Amino acid sequence: MKVAVVDYGMGNLHSVLKSVQAAQKLAGADAEIYLTDQPEAVLAADKIVFPGQGAMPDCMAALRRSGLGEAVADGLKNKPFFGICVGAQLLFEHSEEGDTAGLGWFAGEVKRFADNLHDTEGNRLKVPHMGWNSVRQTRAHPLFADIDQDTRFYFVHSYYFAPQDADIVLGTSDYPEAFACIAGKDNVFATQFHTEKSHDGGLLLLRNFLNWRP
């Protein structure tokens, strides 16, 4: 099995690669895991991990410049595919960040958190949303194997995806209102939080991805 971590110049790439390699040990999977900026290597992969970090307009521009867009689009059609952070946001139709068009795999918008957010005690909530937060699994999914309800994952983001179809929402978190933080359908799974920074929970998600047969 070949697993490509897509390198289009935007993302916590080596940390993502190391976390997928660590997850391989948990899975006991016989896999070749590689970081690549070559479309041919993405096309040759059996599974794809698609990270992203930074501003969505910059990430989308970098994806276009890299020539990897078509290979990523091909993988979305028929391969197990894991989008992480901005890599998840890019799967949607449009982002408020820079009025940016995404890949359009999922219907919906990427929206910015409001400026004047407060928790239930009236304390101001900062944007970006940064740190550990509980994730509520809203639908059963093979990638949730051995992961407890309300497991905490690590977030760093000012924008969040808002799917048009509620059926693709697999998990939510609160800041302070509930927002979608995991989306998925068929062969595609995407998280707003950083799996590579989420310790045991993130490793289990990646382990389950390596074992996944959609």
Side-chain angles (χ1 to χ4, degrees):
M1 178 174 67
K2 294 183 177 181
V3 182
V5 178
V6 182
D7 176 7
Y8 57 101
M10 305 293 291
N12 200 13
L13 298 169
H14 291 286
S15 292
V16 172
L17 177 64
K18 288 179 180 178
S19 66
V20 179
Q21 291 170 337
Q24 178 189 9
K25 295 178 182 178
L26 288 179
D30 183 12
E32 177 188 353
I33 300 167
Y34 52 87
L35 180 65
T36 182
D37 60 2
Q38 299 299 311
E40 301 80 13
V42 176
L43 290 169
D46 300 297
K47 298 189 176 189
I48 296 172
V49 178
F50 186 52
Q53 186 168 295
M56 184 162 160
D58 295 339
C59 289
M60 197 68 201
L63 184 63
R64 291 194 189 100
R65 286 195 305 270
S66 70
L68 287 163
E70 289 187 9
V72 168
D74 181 78
L76 283 165
K77 295 175 185 175
N78 52 29
K79 296 177 181 179
F81 190 104
F82 198 135
I84 300 172
C85 195
V86 181
Q89 294 179 359
L90 288 170
L91 303 182
F92 287 83
E93 294 173 307
H94 180 264
S95 175
E96 292 180 349
E97 187 175 20
D99 190 21
T100 305
L103 295 172
W105 185 254
F106 291 137
E109 293 278 319
V110 177
K111 298 183 176 182
R112 192 183 192 282
F113 284 115
D115 288 328
N116 295 312
L117 297 177
H118 294 82
D119 64 18
T120 54
E121 298 176 353
N123 299 310
R124 180 79 176 267
L125 295 175
K126 295 179 181 179
V127 177
H129 168 215
M130 184 181 301
W132 295 88
N133 213 346
S134 298
V135 170
R136 187 178 310 107
Q137 300 167 24
T138 57
R139 294 179 184 274
H141 194 280
L143 266 67
F144 294 149
D146 299 326
I147 299 176
D148 293 334
Q149 186 67 279
D150 296 318
T151 291
R152 291 165 66 83
F153 292 88
Y154 192 81
F155 291 81
V156 182
H157 64 127
S158 299
Y159 293 80
Y160 63 95
F161 47 76
Q164 192 176 101
D165 181 3
D167 287 345
I168 74 166
V169 178
L170 302 177
T172 63
S173 193
D174 296 337
Y175 199 71
E177 303 296 328
F179 67 92
C181 65
I182 308 177
K185 183 178 181 182
D186 300 329
N187 59 301
V188 179
F189 187 93
T191 67
Q192 178 61 69
F193 51 81
H194 287 272
T195 53
E196 76 281 6
K197 297 180 180 179
S198 295
H199 301 326
D200 291 347
L203 283 175
L204 284 171
L205 277 179
L206 291 170
R207 181 206 69 179
N208 295 338
F209 175 70
L210 294 175
N211 289 331
W212 189 29
R213 301 289 184 271

